[in-house]
Amino acid sequence: MANDVQRRAIAAGAAACACIVAFLAAAISSACRGAGDAQTQIPGQPAVEVSRFSARLEKSDATERLTISVRLRANSETPIDCYVFVVASSTHSSPRSWAIWPVENPGFAISAGGHFHAAHPTTGHPLSLGRSWTRVDATLPRTPGQPPFDSVVVYVVDGKGEVLLARPFAL
């Protein structure tokens, strides 16, 4: 009988320890999930993700244009208010040619030599990126007969002019 009581006491103690361990594991897991929710960006990843880039050259008798399509999304749970620029250039030809989208006030975001600078981010296309994909379509004008563009760079900048993404694509 003493053996039976002793076995029951050991079993009850083991069950209590198991309950305590399960409770502590659940509490730690919950705390870790809560800390992850407060995180604004996945470490080691860019703030903005890119998907499904495509480029299409459209020609008519008098005009040519390069149409770019790309999907963007934030790499965080909190939305990112940002501005998008698309710069196409012909780096392997002389003279070098370039175009920027949006085309309004191009001098604020690109130098005369075709170099991007984010000093005036609000001249870009405004977006609020969340976890779902947002499609951006950009049309860049081209002068007929000018050397073809050979690269495109998609820039995403925040309201302070910090570059969140500078993603080059070869054409």
Side-chain angles (χ1 to χ4, degrees):
M1 187 152 141
N3 253 350
D4 191 39
V5 172
Q6 195 175 22
R7 267 189 266 139
R8 286 185 183 175
I10 291 173
C17 285
C19 287
I20 291 170
V21 168
F23 174 76
L24 288 173
I28 291 170
S29 175
S30 176
C32 288
R33 274 196 310 269
D37 292 344
Q39 190 175 15
T40 59
Q41 183 180 335
I42 298 171
Q45 299 291 324
V48 177
E49 296 178 48
V50 180
S51 175
R52 295 191 181 173
F53 172 85
S54 68
R56 181 178 70 250
L57 182 62
E58 300 170 349
K59 295 182 179 185
S60 68
D61 291 338
T63 63
E64 294 182 7
R65 63 187 167 271
L66 179 65
T67 301
I68 303 296
S69 180
V70 66
R71 292 187 333 159
L72 303 170
R73 75 175 178 183
N75 188 16
S76 67
E77 295 300 322
T78 56
I80 298 173
D81 293 325
C82 58
Y83 300 90
V84 178
F85 297 89
V86 177
V87 177
S89 62
S90 58
T91 55
H92 300 302
S93 65
S94 183
R96 184 173 181 239
S97 61
W98 55 265
I100 187 167
W101 178 87
V103 295
E104 298 84 25
N105 301 320
F108 285 119
I110 197 163
S111 70
H115 301 285
F116 178 77
H117 56 89
H120 301 280
T122 58
T123 60
H125 178 71
L127 279 181
S128 182
L129 296 175
R131 287 300 301 154
S132 60
W133 291 103
T134 301
R135 182 176 164 168
V136 175
D137 294 314
T139 301
L140 298 107
R142 223 177 136 256
T143 305
Q146 116 185 57
F149 296 127
D150 52 33
S151 65
V152 169
V153 181
V154 176
Y155 293 96
V156 179
V157 298
D158 66 9
K160 297 176 183 173
E162 179 183 339
V163 177
L164 304 174
L165 175 78
R167 176 67 161 79
F169 296 93
L171 295 179

